[in-house]
Amino acid sequence: QVQLVESGGGLVQPGGSLRLSCAASGFTFSTHAMSWVRQAPGKGLEWVASIGRGGRRLRYGDSVKGRFTIFRDNAKNTLYLHMNRLEFEDTAVYYCANTELQYCSGIVCYDLDSDEHDDWGQGTQVTVSS
């Protein structure tokens, strides 16, 4: 079955950088678009970024544009999210998904076909604090 394992989170000072990884298995990684979402304490899910199957189609949420970069290594079945100029508001648990998501509401996110995605893994915690 599909397995997505996030890693790379940690404690970072404001203005710092961090790179998250998502190790994928159980499906043909190179034929799937991928996404990152996050959930801040006490809040619903927020869509962060998506990347097309070939790594050329890149889309970002307004709150992270210009600061975050999504990329993938299909040979390693791994998705990445490089985060720069981190802010307190970036504190959240970050999850990856094997669909091209575009919107989240509550604990549910929706892909470009408006299909629902609500089965999340463990995620990785990012804490931005001084």
Side-chain angles (χ1 to χ4, degrees):
Q1 196 171 1
V2 172
Q3 185 173 3
L4 301 170
V5 181
E6 300 91 346
S7 63
L11 178 63
V12 187
Q13 292 184 314
S17 299
L18 202 62
R19 189 183 76 171
L20 307 183
S21 299
C22 170
S25 61
F27 66 101
T28 304
F29 181 76
S30 62
T31 67
H32 283 72
M34 300 289 293
S35 299
W36 286 99
V37 302
R38 66 186 183 184
Q39 186 169 30
K43 299 181 66 177
L45 289 167
E46 178 187 14
W47 173 71
V48 174
S50 296
I51 186 169
R53 290 170 288 184
R56 295 188 298 274
R57 177 180 169 85
L58 308 175
R59 297 171 56 248
Y60 299 93
D62 289 341
S63 64
V64 306
K65 285 180 180 177
R67 299 189 299 119
F68 290 11
T69 302
I70 185 172
F71 60 104
R72 64 194 295 162
D73 187 339
N74 285 350
K76 296 181 178 180
N77 290 341
T78 302
L79 174 73
Y80 302 94
L81 182 70
H82 186 79
M83 304 179 291
N84 287 123
R85 304 195 307 278
L86 285 161
E87 305 168 352
F88 293 120
E89 293 76 15
D90 296 318
T91 295
V93 178
Y94 286 72
Y95 304 94
C96 60
N98 65 334
T99 56
E100 191 166 3
L101 302 173
Q102 64 172 342
Y103 178 77
C104 300
S105 180
I107 63 169
V108 181
C109 297
Y110 301 88
D111 63 21
L112 296 181
D113 296 322
S114 297
D115 291 329
E116 296 183 354
H117 184 95
D118 61 0
D119 188 14
W120 308 104
Q122 297 300 307
T124 186
Q125 175 72 54
V126 173
T127 302
V128 183
S129 176
S130 59

